Amino acid sequence: MRPTRLWIGALGFALLAAACSRKPASIDISPKKVKIYGIERSTRLTARVLDRKGQALDNVSPSWSSSNASIVAAEAGGRLVSKKEGKATVSATVEGAQAQIPVEV
């Protein structure tokens, strides 16, 4: 095989692999809203990261954040810990896809 053909074949394979890779398009969080009773209590959210076709992407975990960490802290793995009474929004983000849910303590 000539070196030119080998290089073109490798380039075609790389372009095909890039075009077929599935990227996160949305995140489905469960439950859809949370109410935590008491201070220093915790609960856990689950998130499914979905591609454009709505199929779950395995081994993709979002990062979690809270709009007000003094009310509810969002930890890795979707664990929420109440800090004081109030309302906040918790977000899950992965590669540009984001979902939010309301949380009340």
Side-chain angles (χ1 to χ4, degrees), residues 20-76:
C20 293
S21 66
R22 295 170 44 200
K23 294 185 179 184
S26 64
I27 303 172
D28 180 33
I29 300 176
S30 181
K32 299 295 183 199
K33 62 182 179 177
V34 173
K35 195 167 205 176
I36 303 174
Y37 296 94
I39 307 303
E40 292 300 322
R41 300 281 184 163
S42 68
T43 189
R44 187 167 304 273
L45 300 174
T46 58
R48 287 186 333 136
V49 180
L50 308 172
D51 65 9
R52 289 184 305 169
K53 294 180 180 179
Q55 296 177 342
L57 297 175
D58 297 328
N59 302 321
V60 179
S61 299
S63 59
W64 296 90
S65 62
S66 172
S67 65
N68 192 337
S70 66
I71 293 175
V72 64
E75 299 177 353

Side-chain angles (χ1 to χ4, degrees), residues 6-18:
L6 182 61
W7 184 81
I8 291 172
L11 179 63
F13 178 75
L15 290 174
L16 179 63

Side-chain angles (χ1 to χ4, degrees), residues 73-101:
E75 299 177 353
R79 183 172 182 253
L80 305 181
V81 180
S82 60
K83 299 298 181 181
K84 69 177 185 179
E85 284 187 44
K87 294 180 180 182
T89 301
V90 172
S91 301
T93 307
V94 61
E95 295 182 32
Q98 184 180 42
Q100 300 178 332
I101 63 152

